[in-house]
Structures are given as C-alpha cells and as structure tokens.
Amino acid sequence: MIRVASYNMRKAIGTDRKRRPERTIDVLNELDADIVALQEADRRFGSKASAIPVAMLDSHSDYKAVELDIRAGSIGWHGNALLVRKPVEVLEHHLFHLPSLEPRGAVLADVMVDGALLRCVGMHLDLSGLWRRRQARAILEHLDEREGSPSTILMGDLNEWSANGGCLRDFAADHDFAPCGRSFHARRPIATLDRIMVSRDLKVVDSGAHRTALSRRASDHLPIWADLSPRTRSLGG
C-alpha cells in the first residue's frame, strides 16, 4: 500500500492570516504519506524562497523535497513541489511549462517506493476554464511523450468547480479519480478543487480530505490523500 497526498499550503499562511511553516509541517506529519504534491509552496515575491525553510523540513519531518535545481532556498517551481519520504529514491525529475497568460508550470518525478516505480506529477491549474483545459491537455501530451509507462499519479489544485466537466473530462479519459471529497474552504468545505488522479493499473483503496483541528487552521485548503495498490499488474511493470 502506498499513500499519496496533495496540499495547497497557501505559502504556510493559515486561516488566522499568520505564516507558520512549523504548523504546515505538523499537518504533513499527520498525513503520513509516501509522496506529497504541494501547491503554493514558495513565497510569491522577492527571492521566492520556500515557504517552509529547507532546514526546518529536514529536521522536523520525515520528508525531503525532490530537488528541482531552480533557485537556492526554494523547493518548488511556480509554487509546485514534490515531497517524498527520506528513504524514497528519486530517479528523475522534470519541469515543464504550461500554457497560460501568467507563468505556470508542473513538476514531475519518477520515484521508487518500496520497489515500486511511480511517475508523479504535481500541478496548480488556472482560474480560467479555457486555460485549465489547455493546461490539462499539455500535461497529458507531455506524459505521452515520455519514455516508459510506469504507474502514474497526478495531483494538485485543479481550480475546477464543476463535478465532471471542464479539465476533469480531459484527465478522466485515461485516469481514475480518488473520491477525496470537498477540500475548500478549509473551515467549511464546499468545493472539490483538489484532486488525485491515477492511471488505471492502480486501485484507490481508500481516500479522503484530511480534516483535523490543525488542518482547518493551517491553510484555506484541506490536504487530500489516497491509499493506492496495484490493480492488475505489479507497480512499474
């Protein structure tokens, strides 16, 4: 069993409007996932440093960031970052631009978790429905162009308010959605903006939105999670 999670951490600013990265780390530790996709992981202005200091992440959690080699002090790219448990082997990482009026991108990593090869993509899509569909297609085309066909997990804040339309239709052609439920707004969730999607060789065993007293305060989004297992063949086969 492998647990994955996605979290729009809002630059570590909680619903109390206080920036407390240590609180964000506590939520990550509660999730206890093998792989986490983060959105809004970097500060917006200045050096765009990581909202969670790298040293704090290393000393107060069981996670390490997939090294994207973009800028010193940052764990993300256009706010997207991937975390893995420290024993997890990162085989490859890749960044790609997404079509948009403002700079947006997605991050990809091939990782080995307990002998299972997984291809993971983290994303934060546009507020505009037209651009979201273009971005979804760009991500899917990028995956089609890459070598190999490992089990694939797509995670992030899709900003899609519809139940099954828009960019969800594009992703659903080849992926199943984990039924994680409503994640926004954290205090009173009414929208399913955050999504976990998996290739059809993976089975979603369990999933949900992580609702605790801490997660309701740490960001305006609740983190979501899914427990996955192989469906018909070994992971990475």
Side-chain angles (χ1 to χ4, degrees), residues 65-221:
V66 173
E67 296 183 8
L68 303 177
D69 306 321
I70 296 299
R71 63 175 66 88
S74 171
I75 64 171
W77 189 63
H78 295 308
N80 295 292
L82 291 170
L83 305 181
V84 296
R85 289 189 191 275
K86 289 175 180 175
V88 169
E89 183 182 4
V90 179
L91 304 178
E92 183 181 354
H93 71 266
H94 186 67
L95 315 174
F96 47 102
H97 291 277
L98 296 180
S100 181
L101 293 175
E102 62 179 9
R104 281 190 184 265
V107 294
L108 178 150
D110 288 350
V111 301
M112 191 71 71
V113 184
D114 294 333
L117 175 61
L118 297 168
R119 178 162 290 165
C120 304
V121 177
M123 68 189 80
H124 189 180
L125 301 190
D126 206 277
L127 294 172
S128 161
L130 176 61
W131 285 108
R132 281 197 299 273
R133 296 208 68 180
R134 291 176 179 174
Q135 291 161 2
R137 290 166 185 162
I139 290 168
L140 294 170
E141 288 171 3
H142 189 85
L143 287 172
D144 287 341
E145 292 169 357
R146 295 194 66 78
E147 294 182 359
S149 56
S151 301
T152 303
I153 304 162
L154 312 177
M155 300 185 281
D157 179 356
L158 304 192
N159 269 317
E160 180 61 69
W161 287 75
S162 68
N164 50 29
C167 68
L168 303 182
R169 189 178 297 116
D170 299 296
F171 287 119
D174 295 303
H175 297 83
D176 292 330
F177 286 77
C180 297
R182 299 171 180 176
S183 56
F184 181 84
H185 186 281
R187 286 181 173 174
R188 185 175 294 180
I190 61 171
T192 311
L193 300 186
D194 304 281
R195 298 279 186 165
I196 296 173
M197 304 161 281
V198 301
S199 55
R200 296 209 163 103
D201 53 352
L202 291 174
K203 178 181 178 180
V204 179
V205 178
D206 198 6
S207 62
H210 183 68
R211 296 181 177 91
T212 64
L214 189 60
S215 68
R216 290 188 179 97
R217 296 194 307 270
S219 170
D220 58 348
H221 287 247

